[in-house]
Amino acid sequence: MVTLESLYRDHDNLRRILYLLEQLFIDIYRGTSRDYAMLQRILVYIQEYPERVHHPAEDAMFAIILNNLTCPKRLHRDISSLLKDHSEIENITREAIEAVESVVVSTHTDISEFGKNISRVLDRQRRHILFEEMHIYPYITKYLETGDWEKVSMLLPDIDDPVFGERVKQGYESIIESLQG
């Protein structure tokens, strides 16, 4: 079941993944690594799990809060902004995946353009998580009741986190190894 704790856990896991992405990105930029396949796997994870599970859970919760007549205007404005942000983050991540693909297939790639895409992913994801935790999550328990959490959980597909779940999805083993190493 979706809970505030599970949302925080998703954020903590994503922070770990973002740190790994940043490390690999810097190594590639410095020329000490060319592991573009790992970079792609990380970006695909960043796109897939939040897009299929985490953001839909938040979107459903936010919809319940927005329908609450006692919801302050500032919170309403912040939630509306975050809903838009989810879509923009997904687009930025797709662009970064495409940039990595173009680096892999091209022999004359402008690495600075590739770098801008990865930097945007890192920056937007970190700002997004921080904003949610500072300005939205503290109010969730005030506006959601147990029945609301159950409704949100029923709306979501039964998908286990492919990296941090009970079984690591095939193809993501190297991410876990890097996080543990």
Side-chain angles (χ1 to χ4, degrees), residues 83-98:
L83 291 171
K84 181 180 173 195
D85 207 31
H86 284 170
S87 173
E88 290 175 3
I89 286 172
E90 290 165 11
N91 290 335
I92 288 168
T93 306
R94 274 190 204 97
E95 290 170 6
I97 291 169
E98 290 169 9

Side-chain angles (χ1 to χ4, degrees), residues 71-84:
C71 174
K73 287 182 182 180
R74 181 190 49 79
L75 184 57
H76 189 279
R77 200 174 44 248
D78 288 347
I79 287 174
S80 295
S81 174
L82 280 176
L83 291 171
K84 181 180 173 195

Side-chain angles (χ1 to χ4, degrees), residues 41 162 167-173:
R41 276 191 297 280
R167 264 191 41 177
V168 176
K169 185 177 174 184
Q170 187 174 0
Y172 289 106
E173 299 91 349

Side-chain angles (χ1 to χ4, degrees), residues 27-88:
D27 289 346
I28 288 171
Y29 230 75
R30 290 177 179 171
T32 58
S33 174
R34 296 194 47 80
D35 197 350
Y36 292 105
M38 172 68 116
L39 197 69
Q40 256 181 322
R41 276 191 297 280
I42 292 169
L43 288 166
V44 167
Y45 170 80
I46 289 171
Q47 179 186 22
E48 284 185 356
Y49 184 72
E51 190 173 314
R52 294 175 72 197
V53 179
H54 184 82
H55 287 163
E58 289 178 335
D59 293 352
M61 289 178 349
F62 296 163
I64 292 168
I65 294 170
L66 291 174
N67 287 325
N68 185 319
L69 298 176
T70 63
C71 174
K73 287 182 182 180
R74 181 190 49 79
L75 184 57
H76 189 279
R77 200 174 44 248
D78 288 347
I79 287 174
S80 295
S81 174
L82 280 176
L83 291 171
K84 181 180 173 195
D85 207 31
H86 284 170
S87 173
E88 290 175 3

